[in-house]
Amino acid sequence: MDRQTVIQTRIKKFQAKMEEAGLNLAVVSRSVNVFYFTDFNPLNFSMASYVLIPAKGEACLLLNAIRGPRSNELSGLRNIKLYGKWSDNPSVAKDAYEAIRIIGRSYQLGELKIGSDLGSLTYTAYLKICEALEVKELTDIGGLIDDEKTIKDELAIDRMRKAAVIGNAGMDKMIAELRAGATEAAAVMEAKYTMQKVWLEKFSEYDVTGFGSPEASIQDMLTATCSSGVRTSYGAESARNIVPAKGDLVLPIIIAKLGGYSIENERSLYVDHLDDYRMKVFETVIEARENVFRAIRPGKTFAELYQEAKTVFERNGFGDFLPGRIGHGIGMTGHEHPSVAPAYKVPLQPGMVFTVEPGLMSAKFGGVRPSDTVLVTETGYELLTDTENGILKM
């Protein structure tokens, strides 16, 4: 696929949304949204990056001058402007706000109605952008951009399939190590190493970096963790250098990101034996999972998928432990719109990617929560995380 064509298609679709909303300029600042419209990750976000999108005309990637050489090599959006001073990289202004003023005026848009993804802007940046563009306020367009990212295009789907190959290898290795008697931490270490090897052998033309913040960059997003015992109810937990004990529930988790796009693979296991109550919990979760998968097809709503799991939970006597959701959208971030939850009466459409993770979790007994990443197709779904599943024993 032609990367530049994909990026231009994304921009043109968003420009149509801008016109519908009465906006004539967007100043995009959130790191994942800058990436969505450029396919470029600056890695370090200590100096702000922006994409300026007019309702009509050519969008522009605006970066600090130090990012010039890298963006010239890697950005899918080829109209790149720089601000600040670094080496002999040419810039249009001494700082980002002056550059925004210059670029904004160059579009000759007349009276401006400007949108920005306000959740990522500091109040100071908000005021300076308003001053630079001579407007009183900015309209929040975070939701508009999130809607655009809900249906994955060919580029996104291809990368998520590749990320799944890496993540599945990591999960297979982690389960094998746990069954061989490894500690949580040792199994995680081996899973990470396996993922790095698969990346190197098959997909090294893509980076595995995450989207950082002004405080830190994220150089590696082939990640794994594991918990056991009551800690499986925590939802998220760091691995410890302990061997899961007999009778424990165990929750290994893989998040693999490739070329900016993530998949999630989680599995639930038990060690040697389970008491009757926790075995009923496990069986109920697997039954709920199977019900949800049978229901996945275009036209079904996320709320209806939730109801499929809820029905099983309540029928088996676990109504008091109902989760708030049983899955979520996934893509450039680990949790995206929409949620598989009662309030989301959004119909499934081909190209949507989300997790299926009905779970029962309580500090009284631990947690069972396998999670799979699925792609909605024209007739049903494609399972991206196809590692061993079910009632898994160690």
Side-chain angles (χ1 to χ4, degrees), residues 70-95:
R70 188 169 194 274
S71 63
N72 287 332
E73 178 188 357
L74 298 176
S75 177
L77 178 59
R78 303 310 302 161
N79 182 22
I80 303 167
K81 305 292 185 187
L82 306 178
Y83 69 86
K85 173 65 177 171
W86 189 266
S87 185
D88 57 354
N89 301 336
S91 64
V92 298
K94 66 181 186 304
D95 63 38

Side-chain angles (χ1 to χ4, degrees), residues 166 169-170 173-174 177 185-201 220 222-224 254:
I166 296 173
K173 182 62 174 177
M174 184 150 44
E177 290 294 317
V188 162
M189 179 182 67
E190 293 295 335
K192 289 181 179 179
Y193 181 54
T194 294
M195 289 193 286
Q196 291 285 356
K197 286 196 294 183
V198 174
W199 167 78
L200 183 63
E201 292 167 2
D220 184 0
L222 300 179
T223 64
I254 294 286

